[in-house]
Amino acid sequence: MSESSNDRLEGALPITSADEAAGVVDNGMTVAISGFGSVGYPKSVPRALDGHQSLTILSAGSVGGEIDEKLVKSGTIDRRAHFQSRPAIRDAINAGDVAFFDRHVSQFGDELRFNGGLDVDIAIIEAVAVGDDWFIPSTSIGHAPSMVRAADRLILEVNHAQPVALKSIHDVYERTAPPHREPIPIDGPIDRIGNARIGFDPDALNAVVETNTADDPYTFRTPTASDQAIATNLGSFLGSEIQSNPMFSSTVSMQFGVGSLGNALMGTLTEIEFGDRTVIYFGEVFQDGLLNMLDSGRLAGASATSLALSNAGQERFFDEIDQYAKNVVLRPADLSNNPALIERFGVIGVNSAIEVDCYGNANATHIGGIRMISGIGGGGDFVRNSRLSIIALPSTAANGAVSRVVPMIPHVDHSEHDVSVIVTEHGVADLRGCSPRERAAKILEIADPAFRNDLEAYRDRAAEGRGQTPHDLETAFDWHIEWNE
Amino acid sequence: MSESSNDRLEGALPITSADEAAGVVDNGMTVAISGFGSVGYPKSVPRALDGHQSLTILSAGSVGGEIDEKLVKSGTIDRRAHFQSRPAIRDAINAGDVAFFDRHVSQFGDELRFNGGLDVDIAIIEAVAVGDDWFIPSTSIGHAPSMVRAADRLILEVNHAQPVALKSIHDVYERTAPPHREPIPIDGPIDRIGNARIGFDPDALNAVVETNTADDPYTFRTPTASDQAIATNLGSFLGSEIQSNPMFSSTVSMQFGVGSLGNALMGTLTEIEFGDRTVIYFGEVFQDGLLNMLDSGRLAGASATSLALSNAGQERFFDEIDQYAKNVVLRPADLSNNPALIERFGVIGVNSAIEVDCYGNANATHIGGIRMISGIGGGGDFVRNSRLSIIALPSTAANGAVSRVVPMIPHVDHSEHDVSVIVTEHGVADLRGCSPRERAAKILEIADPAFRNDLEAYRDRAAEGRGQTPHDLETAFDWHIEWNE
């Protein structure tokens, strides 16, 4: 135990090496780690876990290659939840070598705390500063507070590569437990109701490890022509919707899903005619696409649980962090993704999917119905609870060889009950108030023209059998069977 | 316009005949009607709508044969949402003669009010008493408040067959609109935060019609041996869960789905060892099964949006209504089914399904993936937001000829992300923390033994193709294709 008094370490802390800290992790343990949007995850202690065996690793969102590449290749991870985005872990999951399950972001914190089948032994959390009974999280918060509550023991990694000034964007508010859980006392998407610190029981603190390693964040591809066309269609639809819908007469709160398409769509918000409305982002990730909007003053503020910026975006953000801290807030994931807040703020949610069927169900996780990509993450929170729920996706994949509008999807993450509008580069299908047959007519119109004849043939063949939602089960998966081969 | 001063009519009201009232409904209009759980719906004016054409009829829940039988047979209804439970409307929907769409109960009120693709011309609401600018709803509330807000005009049916004393169980609280929607200021499931009246704009009131007709409510079948076995398995699981889970250490709030199985399960709550815990019902329907629990004092109270009792149950309830009013509350459906309240109260939700697949997805609406039964109703609200979400269903249908545990379901209402536990008469599959392959192992164990070999063969065949969620798309629907024929 050494005494430290730099600006990151306060009080008598059990400062150790990463190897020493990793020594308290026994094989077979369940380890909860910070990280969301591929940032804010611990780096040194996971590296030192190489050689351990049969670990269950729980994270609120995606984490870096230190965990989901290296510890997968070393065979350290047996079980993993509930989101990931690296090839090595994905391959191991799909080979059946790592047991993986994915849950809604909004609920995972409660599942950690209240008997969700998960008994957390140790939490390993990245911080920018630590005191005797508190720490300040780094570039993401995720479920760090719930992990600290759920875990028997705590290891903190203080990362000198992350600016201490991050504390100015954090708003940690912890909810009480059901059945006497209070309503969340917040009035607007970027209001602050907490502070920068997460408290802990000093007796549970096993180790504080110092590190100095940058995040290994997302990279975003340059927007494609298809992205641009989707953005144009979305912008035109939204421009008309906010004019006609009284819910959006003064304020428009929006969310965009994680990833390159979401990032590209965020960036095109500048093109929408918002008039004198206040525009606010209320989502789970703050991506590069929002920076220009904030800089121009078009965006009044942003709430998220992760600064899921690219390296260039992080640099830009850190350089002006005091400026950005005026209207950017990071919250625990059970607030950023909270169903009640999404609903109360009247959020317009824009999320993507692998494919949609002709009735408006969406598959966001399983290619061919079988192979996991990343997990549902927070998509289900926003698709389900947004007052206007939009799925935006290109009409094809694999350079046009595969239609993303299909007769039936072999895995359903978002049901027809949850999806109101679908946008592709070919147009907008506004499904509100429509029966399944009417939805099919609209969705087929925004499919890729090369596939429309086949889709219409399926629709007509299915309709022969009548029913509320006609399907021809013998041929519903013909495309998927072909593609899976 | 006549003056009336009985205990149901107060002030100068436009009292007319049902025929006269129906005269203000033009062909092609969108008509929102009260009713939920087959009670509290208008009777006389709908009867007088016979002969009208091309109406869209919107209700928050199921309504009586006056609407969903007679007006279907007369060809009056072109479009219908978002729940129904009578053979005539079901047949018309599945024949494609009536366009039907179903949405989550919790969201339908907002969709009526805020551009959900529905422009309501007239609301027809059953009441037990009416004044100049208020009325008191009858045996259900449903989305009556949102319907009144959304509609241009209002017709009220004052039903002398419903006791005025119903006012003592109503708690109408209306939420403000997003984006400045306040958190719901309620501390517990049976607290009261409103009053018995729904207000309206007197200029919108077109007609008040007096009627004297009892509800045409649900009938419940006698619990079968399978129901009893499911109840025993559920009781045993819950008894152990509430012992071990700190969330249930002092209070247990439960919800049961609509219908005979839900009613049977409610009735067996008496057999669970709750110790000195306070047990409260927080659901959408108050069914007969709760009466004994309340009478014995085992149930501390109940919150719902509908008194979906049988005729015998209504009689029993009405006879002692002052006594029941002490701890039974009816609320608008956007509160009874509110995601935030279900979550805050830590509800244990027990809902049923037509079938589940081997990974835990559930189909609650479409037989064979095609033919609509009733609609998702509030099932999605409770399955998704309960802190412990249980699907209870018999392992077979059609006298054992059909398995309700199937390789893949052709329609998904509740996804694997939402379902934590499945119960059949053969046991309990606790899926928390399990990967899809692990879930399959547990779910197959509670399938009917006659189908287990086939299910295992499918599971093994599917596993050859690997993937996170193995499926053999070529044979996934073999059973359904056979059954549909």
Side-chain angles (χ1 to χ4, degrees):
Chain A
M1 176 107 31
S2 72
E3 193 78 28
S4 174
S5 64
N6 69 27
D7 63 343
R8 292 175 182 272
L9 303 168
E10 196 178 300
L13 297 170
I15 295 171
T16 65
S17 69
D19 282 334
E20 209 172 319
V24 307
V25 178
D26 293 334
N27 291 339
M29 275 189 170
T30 296
V31 181
I33 59 172
S34 64
F36 198 109
S38 222
V39 300
Y41 57 89
K43 283 95 177 169
S44 297
V45 181
R47 247 189 237 113
L49 288 174
D50 191 343
H52 280 63
Q53 286 180 341
S54 307
L55 297 185
T56 293
I57 302 285
L58 307 174
S59 69
S62 65
V63 296
E66 291 88 342
I67 295 132
D68 277 342
E69 293 288 336
K70 289 192 181 145
L71 292 185
V72 174
K73 288 172 184 162
S74 63
T76 303
I77 302 178
D78 264 16
R79 182 177 291 274
R80 182 82 177 81
H82 74 135
F83 195 84
Q84 42 70 38
S85 65
R86 309 260 164 184
I89 183 73
R90 185 176 299 163
D91 291 348
I93 287 168
N94 286 319
D97 296 333
V98 168
F100 177 75
F101 61 96
D102 59 328
R103 307 291 292 174
H104 301 295
V105 166
S106 65
Q107 301 184 346
F108 194 61
D110 275 1
E111 288 173 353
L112 291 171
R113 291 173 68 190
F114 309 119
N115 199 12
L118 308 164
D119 193 2
V120 183
D121 296 300
I122 296 186
I124 308 177
I125 313 284
E126 182 172 273
V128 295
V130 180
D132 284 328
D133 60 359
W134 57 267
F135 68 91
I136 296 170
S138 68
T139 34
S140 68
I141 298 179
H143 283 308
S146 295
M147 288 173 173
V148 171
R149 299 300 149 250
D152 300 329
R153 289 185 269 173
L154 176 63
I155 295 173
L156 293 170
E157 264 198 41
V158 180
N159 189 346
H160 291 267
Q162 309 275 34
V164 176
L166 279 166
K167 68 183 176 193
S168 58
I169 65 165
H170 293 321
D171 186 56
V172 177
Y173 170 85
E174 291 194 52
R175 305 181 68 198
T176 54
H180 303 294
R181 175 167 268 184
E182 82 289 9
I184 301 170
I186 192 170
D187 291 328
I190 57 168
D191 287 6
R192 286 162 184 271
I193 54 174
N195 60 61
R197 295 179 173 189
I198 298 174
F200 59 80
D201 170 7
D203 291 339
L205 183 66
N206 258 97
V208 175
V209 175
E210 291 183 86
T211 185
N212 195 334
T213 311
D215 285 319
D216 178 13
Y218 287 129
T219 53
F220 300 108
R221 58 170 167 69
T222 310
T224 62
S226 158
D227 294 345
Q228 301 285 10
I230 294 168
T232 301
N233 288 337
L234 176 67
S236 149
F237 171 78
L238 287 178
S240 141
E241 176 71 18
I242 62 174
Q243 291 295 334
S244 63
N245 192 329
M247 200 163 33
F248 307 123
S249 60
S250 64
T251 304
V252 179
S253 295
M254 301 197 64
Q255 171 266 348
F256 289 90
V258 181
S260 290
L261 177 58
N263 187 51
L265 295 176
M266 287 182 201
T268 58
L269 280 178
T270 41
E271 292 163 28
I272 298 175
E273 254 321 322
F274 285 111
D276 56 2
R277 291 170 182 79
T278 303
V279 183
I280 302 180
Y281 180 79
F282 186 79
E284 60 181 16
V285 290
F286 181 94
Q287 296 190 169
D288 292 41
L290 295 177
L291 289 169
N292 286 343
M293 286 284 293
L294 270 178
D295 289 352
S296 71
R298 198 65 208 81
L299 194 65
S303 165
T305 195
S306 164
L307 281 183
L309 297 159
S310 67
N311 278 317
Q314 276 199 348
E315 202 170 314
R316 184 169 160 193
F317 192 92
F318 291 167
D319 277 354
E320 301 286 343
I321 192 164
D322 293 337
Q323 189 59 31
Y324 285 119
K326 291 178 184 161
N327 44 19
V328 176
V329 184
L330 289 196
R331 310 180 184 287
D334 43 13
L335 273 88
S336 67
N337 287 50
N338 188 271
L341 297 188
I342 297 168
E343 184 246 60
R344 280 166 48 192
F345 299 151
V347 170
I348 299 174
V350 182
N351 291 276
S352 198
I354 299 170
E355 57 187 357
V356 295
D357 72 11
C358 53
Y359 299 116
N361 301 281
N363 171 14
T365 56
H366 285 71
I367 290 183
I370 292 169
R371 291 182 301 284
M372 168 62 60
I373 299 184
S374 300
I376 193 166
D381 298 323
F382 287 96
V383 173
R384 171 65 189 270
N385 296 293
S386 292
R387 289 304 87 172
L388 180 60
S389 182
I390 301 171
I391 299 281
L393 79 174
S395 69
T396 62
N399 294 317
V402 166
S403 178
R404 290 177 182 268
V405 178
V406 298
M408 179 182 257
I409 50 175
H411 186 91
V412 177
D413 293 296
H414 314 304
S415 87
E416 48 150 344
H417 312 289
D418 300 340
V419 177
S420 291
V421 176
I422 298 177
V423 182
T424 72
E425 72 276 28
H426 298 295
V428 176
D430 184 348
L431 310 175
R432 290 176 288 183
C434 292
S435 71
R437 287 153 196 263
E438 293 164 340
R439 287 202 292 265
K442 290 187 173 184
I443 294 171
L444 264 50
E445 277 177 29
I446 61 165
D448 187 82
F451 296 96
R452 274 183 218 170
N453 283 349
D454 282 354
L455 286 165
E456 282 167 12
Y458 178 84
R459 189 259 313 264
D460 296 344
R461 194 163 64 242
E464 288 168 18
R466 301 293 179 100
Q468 159 78 350
T469 305
H471 269 301
D472 176 35
L473 298 183
E474 300 206 39
T475 61
F477 292 142
D478 277 0
W479 279 352
H480 291 92
I481 291 167
E482 188 186 323
W483 298 332
N484 280 348
E485 281 164 3
Chain B
M1 177 107 35
S2 72
E3 193 80 28
S4 174
S5 63
N6 68 28
D7 62 342
R8 292 175 182 271
L9 303 168
E10 196 179 302
L13 297 170
I15 295 171
T16 64
S17 69
D19 282 335
E20 208 172 321
V24 306
V25 178
D26 293 334
N27 291 340
M29 276 189 169
T30 295
V31 181
I33 59 172
S34 63
F36 198 109
S38 221
V39 300
Y41 56 89
K43 284 95 177 168
S44 297
V45 181
R47 245 189 238 114
L49 288 174
D50 191 344
H52 281 63
Q53 285 180 342
S54 308
L55 297 186
T56 293
I57 302 285
L58 307 174
S59 69
S62 65
V63 296
E66 292 87 342
I67 296 132
D68 277 343
E69 294 287 336
K70 289 194 180 141
L71 291 185
V72 174
K73 288 171 184 162
S74 63
T76 303
I77 303 179
D78 263 15
R79 181 177 292 273
R80 183 81 177 82
H82 72 132
F83 195 85
Q84 42 69 38
S85 64
R86 309 262 164 183
I89 183 74
R90 185 176 299 163
D91 291 348
I93 288 167
N94 286 319
D97 296 334
V98 169
F100 177 74
F101 61 97
D102 59 329
R103 307 290 293 172
H104 301 294
V105 165
S106 65
Q107 301 185 346
F108 194 62
D110 275 1
E111 289 173 352
L112 291 171
R113 289 174 67 190
F114 309 119
N115 200 12
L118 307 164
D119 193 0
V120 183
D121 296 301
I122 297 186
I124 308 176
I125 312 285
E126 183 173 273
V128 295
V130 181
D132 284 330
D133 59 0
W134 57 267
F135 68 90
I136 296 170
S138 68
T139 35
S140 68
I141 298 180
H143 282 307
S146 295
M147 288 173 173
V148 171
R149 300 300 149 249
D152 301 328
R153 288 185 269 172
L154 175 63
I155 296 172
L156 292 170
E157 264 198 43
V158 180
N159 189 347
H160 292 267
Q162 308 277 33
V164 176
L166 278 165
K167 69 183 177 193
S168 58
I169 65 166
H170 294 320
D171 187 56
V172 177
Y173 170 85
E174 291 193 53
R175 304 182 69 198
T176 55
H180 304 295
R181 175 167 269 184
E182 82 287 8
I184 301 169
I186 192 170
D187 292 326
I190 57 169
D191 287 6
R192 287 163 183 269
I193 55 174
N195 60 60
R197 294 179 174 189
I198 298 175
F200 59 80
D201 171 6
D203 291 339
L205 182 65
N206 257 98
V208 175
V209 175
E210 291 184 88
T211 186
N212 195 334
T213 311
D215 285 319
D216 178 13
Y218 288 128
T219 53
F220 300 109
R221 58 169 167 70
T222 311
T224 61
S226 157
D227 293 344
Q228 302 285 9
I230 294 168
T232 301
N233 288 337
L234 175 67
S236 149
F237 171 78
L238 286 179
S240 140
E241 176 71 18
I242 62 174
Q243 292 294 335
S244 63
N245 192 329
M247 199 162 34
F248 308 122
S249 60
S250 64
T251 304
V252 179
S253 295
M254 302 196 62
Q255 171 266 348
F256 289 90
V258 181
S260 290
L261 176 59
N263 187 50
L265 294 175
M266 287 182 200
T268 58
L269 280 178
T270 40
E271 292 163 28
I272 298 175
E273 254 321 320
F274 286 110
D276 56 2
R277 292 170 181 79
T278 302
V279 183
I280 302 181
Y281 180 79
F282 187 79
E284 60 181 16
V285 289
F286 182 92
Q287 297 190 170
D288 293 40
L290 295 176
L291 289 170
N292 285 344
M293 287 282 293
L294 270 179
D295 289 351
S296 71
R298 197 65 209 83
L299 193 65
S303 165
T305 196
S306 164
L307 281 182
L309 296 159
S310 67
N311 277 317
Q314 275 199 349
E315 202 171 314
R316 186 169 158 192
F317 192 92
F318 291 167
D319 276 354
E320 301 286 342
I321 193 163
D322 293 337
Q323 189 60 30
Y324 285 119
K326 291 178 185 163
N327 45 17
V328 176
V329 184
L330 289 196
R331 310 181 184 285
D334 44 11
L335 273 88
S336 67
N337 287 50
N338 189 271
L341 297 187
I342 296 167
E343 184 246 57
R344 282 166 47 192
F345 300 149
V347 170
I348 300 174
V350 182
N351 292 276
S352 197
I354 298 170
E355 57 187 357
V356 295
D357 72 12
C358 54
Y359 299 115
N361 301 283
N363 171 14
T365 55
H366 284 71
I367 290 183
I370 293 169
R371 290 183 301 284
M372 168 63 61
I373 298 183
S374 300
I376 193 167
D381 298 322
F382 287 96
V383 172
R384 171 65 188 271
N385 296 292
S386 293
R387 290 302 89 172
L388 181 59
S389 183
I390 301 170
I391 299 280
L393 79 175
S395 69
T396 62
N399 293 318
V402 166
S403 178
R404 289 177 183 268
V405 179
V406 298
M408 179 182 258
I409 51 175
H411 186 91
V412 177
D413 293 296
H414 313 304
S415 87
E416 49 150 343
H417 312 288
D418 300 340
V419 176
S420 290
V421 176
I422 298 177
V423 182
T424 72
E425 73 275 28
H426 298 296
V428 176
D430 185 348
L431 310 175
R432 289 175 290 183
C434 292
S435 72
R437 286 152 197 264
E438 294 164 340
R439 287 202 291 266
K442 291 187 172 185
I443 293 171
L444 265 49
E445 277 178 29
I446 61 166
D448 186 82
F451 295 96
R452 275 183 218 170
N453 283 349
D454 282 354
L455 286 165
E456 281 166 13
Y458 177 84
R459 190 257 316 263
D460 297 343
R461 195 162 66 242
E464 288 168 18
R466 301 293 179 102
Q468 159 78 352
T469 306
H471 269 300
D472 176 35
L473 297 183
E474 299 206 40
T475 61
F477 291 142
D478 278 1
W479 280 352
H480 291 91
I481 291 168
E482 188 188 322
W483 298 332
N484 280 347
E485 281 165 1

